[in-house]
Amino acid sequence: MVKQTIQIFARVKPPVRKHQQGIYSIDEDEKLIPSLEIILPRDLADGFVNNKRESYKFKFQRIFDQDAKQETIFENIAKPVAGSVLEGYNGTIFAYGQTGSGKTFTITGGAERYSDRGIIPRTLSYIFEQLQKDSSKMYTTHISYLEIYNECGYDLLDPRHEASSLEDLPKVTILEDPDQNIHLKNLTLHQATTEEEALNLLFLGDTNRMIAETPMNQASTRSHCIFTIHLSSKEPGSATVRHAKLHLVDLAGSERVAKTGVGGHLLTEAKYINLSLHYLEQVIIALSEKHRSHIPYRNSMMTSVLRDSLGGNCMTTMIATLSLEKRNLDESISTCRFAQRVALIKNEAVLNEEIDPRLMIKRLQKEIQELKDELAMVTGEQRTEALTEAELLQLEKLITSFLEDQDPESRLEVGADMRKVHHCFHHLKKLLNDKKIFGNNTVSNTVSSESKDQDCQEALKEEEYRKLRDILKQRDNEINILVNMLKKEKKKAQEALHLAGMDRREFRHSQSPPFPPGNPEEGQRMRLSSAPSQTQDFSILGNRSSLLHKKTGMREEMSLGRQEAFEIFKRDHADSVTIDDNKQILKQRFSEAKALGESINEARSKIGHLKEEITQRHIQQVALGISENMAVPLMPDQQEEKLRSQLEGEKRRYKTMFTRLKALKVEIEHLQLLMDKAKVKLQKEFEVWWAEEATNLQVNPPAVNSLDHTKPFLQTSDSLHEQSQLFSNKSSGGWEVQGQGTGRFDVCDVNARKILPSPCPSPHSQKQSSTSTPLEDSIPKRPMSSIPLTGDSQTDSDILAFIKARQSILQKQ
Ligand code: ADP
Ligand code: MG
């Protein structure tokens, strides 16, 4: 058992704005416990906090300042926890802090650079690397990914659902067994045999997380996400299985609202926006107070799920993420205070070992057989389960004569056979019981009386049969129970196999590319996957593509108009720079991998040649020895020495290149995941933008023959009516080409557009812009009532024309 308090670490996020000096300082004297001092500027101390304290000091295990790399965070925080999970202990790492302080960045990683990958991918990498190295045990790894939003659990790893909102995902509920163990119903565990499979699951969960999020539910700030690695290990031949879980938790934003507002008790009485964090705090307070018998775990789903991590069987670590800017100081102080309380909680982690009943039965059967064989060898006779009739009769005679023998020294000798010893006791007990039943009759009387003896024998037999029958029944029951247990285990294994098969089939069936044809990386992927040694590893890329395809609901046959609009949207989108950068890096990595692959092949064939050459030399020497009747030299000659050292050199080169290629492969995988994720996001935002453009076109179609150049286009329902009349009065076919320079547009915010071609403000959601610009492009029109909200290609080209027209206006501005 390992007793340990929860370890607390602090990480300070680099500021968005220019560094604000003097707000905090870190004291990391090697002899002392590191401490973080937060200094309140005078103006804040006067206005905000009633006791006017100017500085607050908090102790942490370690404090990581703004420039701390993800690698450092992993090495210092996550690696030791992963190490104990590999030994069989439960582990939890949770990030706590206000929204934007870097929880997701720390736990999952940044969405742009490979070097920004967070604790989850690095831990997976580390665990699989260790499993590969350790051949003394058999390991199984499963992954689950749970999101808790508003007291409801959702399974983020359900591949069968196309989530467009959280409610589409399977709901996870909590069950508690009589021993108060928590079980999560509906949360699927997916087996991952390689790092790539595990990363794909992380990607699947993150994509579901992103797609399910809507501005309404703000899932990423209001929900808790728990990524769990379940690890089982067993030594070959042993019946003991070790189970360990590692929870990596990205908690909801810890921001609070002031109860009494500015000037009041902001730092003491603020309340969490998120109710379950309030319950988490209550659990932490209860745990940190001595002699508290009741800990309110059951108040929320999150505290129930993390019950073991808080004051239970787990090695737990907390990372307090801090965004130490002037406006966040109160939140940062709250986070640090929370951490100080957490640091008081003691956990007791034990090895979670379990006996596997199947393996136990097998082992016992083997042991029995061995003992039987040993016994047969000693006694020289094969021993059966039960005594024979003749043996039983012989024994009973012995007992009778023993009882009749008046000699106090007489002994009942049955030999070293436990079956016979047991039978004697059994028989004696019966005789004793019978004596009680038959009242005054003494044993000697019973024995001496012929007729009574007869009756007794009969009764004894009856009794014995009944008991034997009972024993038989009992054994039957035991066997049934064991058989049922075995059947259940077998069924579970089959179900798991079936599920794995289904997943694989599902992945295999969908190989179509997610993006419009001509996507350059698809070609890259194909090329890489055609390299023989990589085929298996890269086959999962298809899975991801299909998933992406499914998740975004992207149609393979996007209308031309929509495709073009997508290109425009993509070009202007802020993320496209990241995608392009990553594309470039990916290209470089691909060509490096290709070159490495070629060099590896070259080295491999060189090794083959060198080996061949050495063998040839040996054959020649032997042949020479035979023909000239000379002994073959024992030591290699100079030439051979040279060949051998060349061979060693090539082998070393091969190994170095191979290690590099492996690392490259992981990096490429990760970069592709990042890009795919960015693309899903892009696609999602495009869909929103497109729908809004369609609405804009319906509500604000280009005006015809408008003479008023200053009035914004279609601002009121009156003008809308006017406009619609105007349109409907036009050509009977509903389509008319507009002349140049006559229409007007309600233009979106130009600045917003520059950053991101985000959804143009729709009239119902945004203030009307007063900017208007003459429309110079020709735009096709048709009556508003006939324009559906996107879908057919004709409408799509209308919307495209609308977008283009606005673009040209913006360019001219
Ligand atoms: P949270 O999950 O706490 O709301 P995020 O992890 O999403 O916060 O971080 C907010 C933003 O800050 C993201 O754009 C993230 O990339 C960036 N960020 C957070 N921590 C760091 C860091 N240590 N270094 C660089 N960027 C960071
Ligand atoms: Mg987050």
Side-chain angles (χ1 to χ4, degrees):
M1 188 199 290
V2 182
K3 286 191 182 184
Q4 199 187 47
T5 49
I6 296 184
Q7 313 281 294
I8 55 162
F9 294 90
R11 183 183 200 184
V12 182
K13 190 195 121 170
V16 178
R17 298 189 208 135
K18 212 164 67 28
H19 184 65
Q20 299 180 22
Q21 290 219 324
I23 283 182
Y24 74 97
S25 70
I26 295 171
D27 187 0
E28 272 205 301
D29 188 334
E30 278 191 10
K31 288 180 209 111
L32 298 170
I33 301 169
S35 66
L36 172 76
E37 185 173 10
I38 299 180
I39 302 134
L40 281 190
R42 271 225 164 263
D43 53 336
L44 270 189
D46 283 346
F48 262 9
V49 193
N50 57 356
N51 59 9
K52 294 185 186 173
R53 260 181 76 175
E54 281 181 26
S55 95
Y56 293 79
K57 225 171 184 173
F58 302 101
K59 289 191 181 348
F60 286 93
Q61 211 89 21
R62 263 196 81 170
I63 301 153
F64 297 93
D65 208 351
Q66 301 170 16
D67 49 1
K69 300 253 176 314
Q70 295 282 62
E71 172 75 25
T72 318
I73 298 289
F74 169 74
E75 287 290 329
N76 288 281
I77 302 179
K79 202 169 167 182
V81 183
S84 23
V85 171
L86 284 165
E87 282 172 30
Y89 294 99
N90 289 339
T92 297
I93 300 174
F94 68 92
Y96 180 98
Q98 69 183 109
T99 299
S101 59
K103 295 181 297 299
T104 307
F105 186 84
T106 302
I107 297 290
T108 311
E112 294 173 15
R113 282 181 299 271
Y114 177 64
S115 56
D116 280 349
R117 67 203 193 285
I119 286 178
I120 300 180
R122 284 173 197 269
T123 304
L124 287 172
S125 214
Y126 176 71
I127 287 182
F128 279 102
E129 193 187 303
Q130 296 305 310
L131 298 193
Q132 253 186 357
K133 279 187 196 161
D134 182 8
S135 54
S136 68
K137 293 199 190 88
M138 287 134 77
Y139 288 97
T140 344
T141 316
H142 286 86
I143 306 286
S144 65
Y145 205 174
L146 169 72
E147 174 156 7
I148 302 174
Y149 177 73
N150 248 347
E151 281 310 297
C152 263
Y154 300 95
D155 182 6
L156 286 174
L157 293 188
D158 192 290
R160 286 166 299 182
H161 290 75
E162 293 186 17
S164 56
S165 72
L166 266 181
E167 286 69 30
D168 294 339
L169 291 166
K171 274 207 171 68
V172 178
T173 47
I174 288 188
L175 298 176
E176 198 174 322
D177 68 16
D179 296 332
Q180 299 199 322
N181 293 317
I182 297 291
H183 302 273
L184 293 168
K185 197 178 152 208
N186 262 352
L187 182 69
T188 47
L189 293 191
H190 297 254
Q191 187 165 5
T193 49
T194 59
E195 182 188 341
E196 283 85 351
E197 278 176 25
L199 281 177
N200 274 317
L201 289 167
L202 171 66
F203 166 76
L204 170 68
D206 278 346
T207 311
N208 271 332
R209 195 172 155 185
M210 184 169 68
I211 290 187
E213 183 174 41
T214 62
M216 286 295 285
N217 65 26
Q218 292 178 19
S220 67
T221 64
R222 299 271 169 98
S223 69
H224 316 285
C225 283
I226 307 177
F227 183 89
T228 310
I229 306 169
H230 308 250
L231 200 67
S232 310
S233 64
K234 188 181 90 66
E235 279 172 24
S238 159
T240 313
V241 187
R242 276 187 190 172
H243 299 284
K245 275 186 269 185
L246 173 57
H247 292 308
L248 300 169
V249 189
D250 186 355
L251 288 176
S254 64
E255 44 273 15
R256 301 169 186 230
V257 275
K259 202 172 169 189
T260 48
V262 175
H265 312 269
L266 190 72
L267 290 175
T268 45
E269 288 192 28
K271 277 202 159 179
Y272 286 105
I273 290 179
N274 196 300
L275 197 62
S276 60
L277 283 178
H278 164 70
Y279 289 126
L280 174 67
E281 185 167 43
Q282 286 197 340
V283 167
I284 304 283
I285 291 174
L287 283 167
S288 56
E289 283 173 6
K290 277 184 186 161
H291 316 302
R292 273 284 287 265
S293 56
H294 175 69
I295 310 292
Y297 291 111
R298 285 199 194 141
N299 281 351
S300 86
M301 184 170 190
M302 195 253 299
T303 47
S304 299
V305 175
L306 294 183
R307 185 183 186 138
D308 257 347
S309 316
L310 308 164
N313 168 22
C314 190
M315 290 185 166
T316 304
T317 296
M318 166 185 169
I319 308 172
T321 53
L322 303 164
S323 173
L324 280 167
E325 289 176 51
K326 198 171 161 184
R327 65 199 156 103
N328 292 330
L329 285 186
D330 48 348
E331 288 296 348
S332 304
I333 291 170
S334 293
T335 301
C336 291
R337 280 191 172 160
F338 182 84
Q340 306 301 299
R341 273 210 200 101
V342 168
L344 299 175
I345 299 173
K346 279 202 185 78
N347 280 1
E348 289 181 4
V350 290
L351 283 177
N352 307 297
E353 290 184 328
E354 203 180 76
I355 307 279
D356 184 333
R358 279 174 312 168
L359 295 171
M360 198 63 194
I361 292 171
K362 260 193 193 161
R363 232 178 65 180
L364 289 177
Q365 278 173 340
K366 202 170 150 226
E367 201 175 314
I368 290 171
Q369 192 53 48
E370 279 170 7
L371 287 173
K372 274 185 180 170
D373 292 347
E374 222 170 283
L375 205 62
M377 265 166 65
V378 174
T379 58
E381 60 185 62
Q382 208 66 36
R383 192 158 288 185
T384 52
E385 289 285 308
L387 293 165
T388 61
E389 276 296 313
E391 282 172 324
L392 287 174
L393 223 74
Q394 173 72 19
L395 268 184
E396 274 151 34
K397 267 188 197 157
L398 271 176
I399 295 168
T400 316
S401 58
F402 170 67
L403 289 173
E404 281 172 350
D405 197 341
Q406 298 301 316
D407 181 1
E409 297 284 297
S410 73
R411 294 169 113 203
L412 178 59
E413 301 278 3
V414 290
D417 188 338
M418 284 314 285
R419 296 170 307 167
K420 289 183 181 168
V421 175
H422 285 309
H423 185 77
C424 287
F425 279 121
H426 204 67
H427 195 73
L428 281 169
K429 192 176 171 187
K430 250 185 261 162
L431 289 178
L432 214 67
N433 283 342
D434 292 344
K435 191 191 148 205
K436 276 183 202 153
I437 293 165
F438 292 113
N440 296 330
N441 295 339
T442 58
V443 175
S444 55
N445 273 347
T446 316
V447 176
S448 60
S449 158
E450 275 286 301
S451 63
K452 274 186 184 168
D453 188 43
Q454 275 271 323
D455 289 352
C456 184
Q457 287 283 341
E458 286 298 313
L460 273 177
K461 272 195 180 146
E462 267 302 302
E463 176 80 350
E464 203 170 329
Y465 278 140
R466 200 175 53 77
K467 290 212 163 159
L468 278 173
R469 256 203 315 272
D470 285 351
I471 291 171
L472 208 65
K473 228 183 204 169
Q474 203 180 330
R475 292 282 172 272
D476 264 355
N477 279 343
E478 282 170 10
I479 290 169
N480 274 343
I481 290 169
L482 285 174
V483 167
N484 277 341
M485 271 168 91
L486 274 174
K487 273 187 185 162
K488 261 188 210 158
E489 290 296 321
K490 202 171 156 189
K491 202 171 150 204
K492 258 195 231 161
Q494 275 174 348
E495 273 174 8
L497 267 175
H498 179 67
L499 212 71
M502 254 175 44
D503 285 357
R504 249 175 272 131
R505 270 198 301 284
E506 185 165 328
F507 281 148
R508 237 179 278 132
H509 281 166
S510 36
Q511 297 279 337
S512 45
F515 282 91
N519 191 353
E521 300 110 61
E522 291 305 323
Q524 296 272 27
R525 286 182 194 188
M526 293 308 291
R527 241 175 287 147
L528 198 75
S529 65
S530 63
S533 60
Q534 309 280 326
T535 313
Q536 188 200 339
D537 296 338
F538 284 89
S539 62
I540 26 180
L541 294 178
N543 312 344
R544 215 168 39 231
S545 308
S546 76
L547 172 85
L548 197 64
H549 197 198
K550 215 161 77 178
K551 287 291 157 206
T552 49
M554 273 184 241
R555 270 165 293 176
E556 248 174 281
E557 287 171 28
M558 230 191 219
S559 76
L560 283 174
R562 216 161 137 145
Q563 259 184 48
E564 204 178 326
F566 183 61
E567 290 307 318
I568 294 171
F569 182 82
K570 213 162 70 174
R571 198 186 56 215
D572 291 356
H573 196 285
D575 283 359
S576 68
V577 183
T578 313
I579 296 178
D580 285 346
D581 284 353
N582 273 338
K583 225 186 249 178
Q584 283 310 318
I585 300 173
L586 203 57
K587 259 189 195 158
Q588 281 170 12
R589 298 290 181 270
F590 267 118
S591 39
E592 196 184 336
K594 206 176 147 200
L596 259 179
E598 279 162 12
S599 307
I600 284 177
N601 280 341
E602 219 173 83
R604 196 191 288 146
S605 70
K606 257 191 196 159
I607 290 171
H609 283 136
L610 285 167
K611 277 186 180 166
E612 180 64 32
E613 221 173 304
I614 293 173
T615 320
Q616 284 300 330
R617 276 190 70 77
H618 280 182
I619 295 171
Q620 275 170 15
Q621 278 169 354
V622 172
L624 203 73
I626 293 169
S627 66
E628 301 197 357
N629 213 5
M630 268 163 48
V632 179
L634 286 174
M635 296 294 287
D637 61 13
Q638 241 186 2
Q639 178 68 15
E640 189 174 332
E641 284 280 11
K642 205 173 137 200
L643 286 173
R644 275 182 195 274
S645 83
Q646 268 181 4
L647 181 68
E648 287 312 309
E650 280 305 323
K651 277 186 182 169
R652 271 197 301 276
R653 208 164 76 89
Y654 180 84
K655 209 170 159 196
T656 319
M657 288 191 296
F658 193 76
T659 318
R660 172 72 191 134
L661 186 66
K662 246 168 88 177
L664 262 181
K665 204 185 76 158
V666 175
E667 188 176 344
I668 287 172
E669 268 283 310
H670 196 94
L671 279 172
Q672 282 176 332
L673 288 178
L674 290 182
M675 280 176 61
D676 285 348
K677 220 152 66 178
K679 283 172 183 171
V680 174
K681 188 166 158 247
L682 194 74
Q683 180 73 21
K684 194 185 163 198
E685 284 170 9
F686 170 71
E687 297 295 343
V688 175
W689 180 65
W690 181 258
E692 296 247 355
E693 291 295 345
T695 321
N696 276 349
L697 179 61
Q698 274 190 341
V699 182
N700 294 343
V704 186
N705 295 333
S706 170
L707 296 172
D708 182 0
H709 281 224
T710 54
K711 195 175 146 203
F713 184 67
L714 290 182
Q715 298 294 305
T716 61
S717 55
D718 281 354
S719 52
L720 195 85
H721 178 70
E722 255 170 51
Q723 201 62 39
S724 81
Q725 285 231 315
L726 235 153
F727 277 135
S728 51
N729 291 341
K730 287 279 166 187
S731 72
S732 53
W735 290 99
E736 173 118 339
V737 176
Q738 178 67 26
Q740 280 212 337
T742 49
R744 292 195 145 267
F745 266 113
D746 186 16
V747 178
C748 304
D749 180 342
V750 179
N751 293 327
R753 188 78 182 84
K754 272 182 193 155
I755 301 160
L756 180 118
S758 61
C760 241
S762 62
H764 56 268
S765 64
Q766 297 262 344
K767 277 186 285 171
Q768 294 290 339
S769 162
S770 56
T771 328
S772 310
T773 319
L775 170 67
E776 299 192 6
D777 283 8
S778 302
I779 296 173
K781 310 270 163 348
R782 62 173 161 170
M784 274 196 304
S785 54
S786 68
I787 305 176
L789 263 185
T790 82
D792 68 83
S793 53
Q794 185 58 65
T795 314
D796 286 352
S797 48
D798 283 357
I799 303 169
L800 177 67
F802 179 74
I803 292 164
K804 276 184 170 171
R806 207 193 40 223
Q807 276 230 322
S808 80
I809 294 162
L810 288 172
Q811 271 161 15
K812 277 182 188 146
Q813 276 186 338

